[in-house]
Amino acid sequence: MEFKSLIKSLAVFFLMAVPAVSAQAQSKVIKIDNPKMTVFLPPSGIGNGKALVALPGGGYSHLAVYHEGFDWAPFYNQLGLAYAVLEYSMPKGDRSIPMGDVDAAFKIMADSASQWGFHPDSIGIMGSSAGGHLASTMATHPTENCRPAFQILFYPVISMDSGLTHKGSRTGFLGENPSEELDAAYSSEKQVTSATPRALMLLSADDKTVVPANSLRYFDALNKAGVPASLMVYPTGGHGWGYREKFRYHDNVLSEITSWLKSL
């Protein structure tokens, strides 16, 4: 991916009103192509120096850009975070494609940090379902451009182990019949080190799509490596609730995230 063309795209960004954040005085929305990313900046005067790049889920076949992406913008902006939704490319068996998109997105965010009002070393990553796998993958495979400061993961796919993973996500990310070595390399619970960023995981105990053992293994690995980790398991709700207010524990989710971010 050509980073010069990505940065050049910043010169042609435009501001526009989006209904999800229209009630927030002086908030701004910045649309960027290549990769396709929308950045929601908090109203003037309430920024806390942090930013968050969100990766919606969709099993590496599509993206749930609203309830796992755009709908979160007002919440995070009111907490003072700059919030970006990355519409990453589908891998179709080539993991380097979405990983390259995330790498490029973090470079854009870091290069624009002073202009957009946050610290370049305070950019976190958020992911839901397969997006949670991509987020944890970038957290455990940091690059020169992408070194997330923290992780927020919703019902994430963590492992590529055939007995534990979400099969569609595994095939989409690694292709058909990946080797055991490749499975291990992109099973985030097996790649944790003491340098892995702290994490908050939120999921439901009755999730049948991405079984909770994914998050439990990641939590255990982080804990053993001495990395601060928090795990919130709600009794019901299944999979894929995101920001949906009909989720029974929606208010609890907002409260937990708020408290956790304030503790950083």
Side-chain angles (χ1 to χ4, degrees):
M1 183 167 290
E2 181 60 55
F3 288 134
K4 290 183 179 178
S5 66
L6 296 174
I7 302 306
K8 184 178 180 181
S9 70
L10 293 176
V12 297
F13 71 78
F14 58 92
L15 302 182
M16 59 179 289
V18 169
V21 294
S22 60
Q24 299 180 26
Q26 300 182 14
S27 61
K28 296 180 180 179
V29 181
I30 300 166
K31 303 283 283 188
I32 300 168
D33 290 323
N34 192 24
K36 189 174 183 182
M37 182 166 67
T38 307
V39 182
F40 300 83
L41 300 181
S44 179
I46 71 169
N48 62 12
K50 296 183 179 66
L52 185 62
V53 176
L55 310 178
Y60 286 128
S61 65
H62 64 281
L63 295 176
V65 294
Y66 291 99
H67 69 284
E68 293 179 349
F70 299 138
D71 293 350
W72 282 99
F75 169 72
Y76 284 115
N77 279 176
Q78 286 300 320
L79 290 180
L81 281 77
Y83 175 74
V85 178
L86 176 64
E87 296 177 62
Y88 55 90
S89 306
M90 296 300 98
K92 298 180 180 179
D94 184 351
R95 61 193 178 278
S96 69
I97 295 174
M99 292 178 71
D101 284 353
V102 180
D103 186 275
F106 264 74
K107 179 168 175 56
I108 290 173
M109 294 293 284
D111 287 350
S112 305
S114 60
Q115 177 184 355
W116 292 344
F118 53 86
H119 303 299
D121 58 353
S122 295
I123 306 170
I125 197 163
M126 173 177 127
S128 304
S129 195
H133 176 257
L134 184 56
S136 66
T137 294
M138 300 306 292
T140 53
H141 297 73
T143 66
E144 180 180 353
N145 296 315
C146 182
R147 294 181 177 276
F150 55 91
Q151 311 171 66
I152 299 176
L153 308 175
F154 294 92
Y155 36 84
V157 179
I158 291 294
S159 183
M160 292 286 101
D161 186 311
S162 61
L164 185 64
T165 191
H166 176 258
K167 291 181 172 57
S169 298
R170 178 176 180 254
T171 299
F173 195 69
L174 298 179
E176 296 286 350
N177 303 312
S179 66
E180 290 184 5
E181 290 76 15
L182 203 57
D183 277 346
Y186 293 97
S187 292
S188 297
E189 80 278 13
K190 298 179 180 178
Q191 302 301 322
V192 170
T193 71
S194 60
T196 301
R198 65 180 61 207
L200 170 64
M201 288 167 279
L202 306 105
L203 60 146
S204 295
D206 62 351
D207 191 337
K208 299 297 191 295
T209 303
V210 177
V211 296
N214 279 267
S215 294
L216 296 174
R217 287 193 184 183
Y218 197 44
F219 176 83
D220 186 54
L222 291 165
N223 188 50
K224 287 179 178 177
V227 176
S230 297
L231 180 67
M232 300 305 304
V233 184
Y234 302 102
T236 59
H239 187 76
W241 30 265
Y243 191 80
R244 288 173 174 155
E245 294 183 3
K246 66 181 182 181
F247 176 50
R248 181 174 183 177
Y249 302 98
H250 176 74
D251 290 344
N252 301 75
V253 169
L254 302 189
S255 178
E256 293 294 346
I257 295 173
T258 298
S259 296
W260 189 79
L261 285 171
K262 288 181 177 179
S263 74
L264 300 182

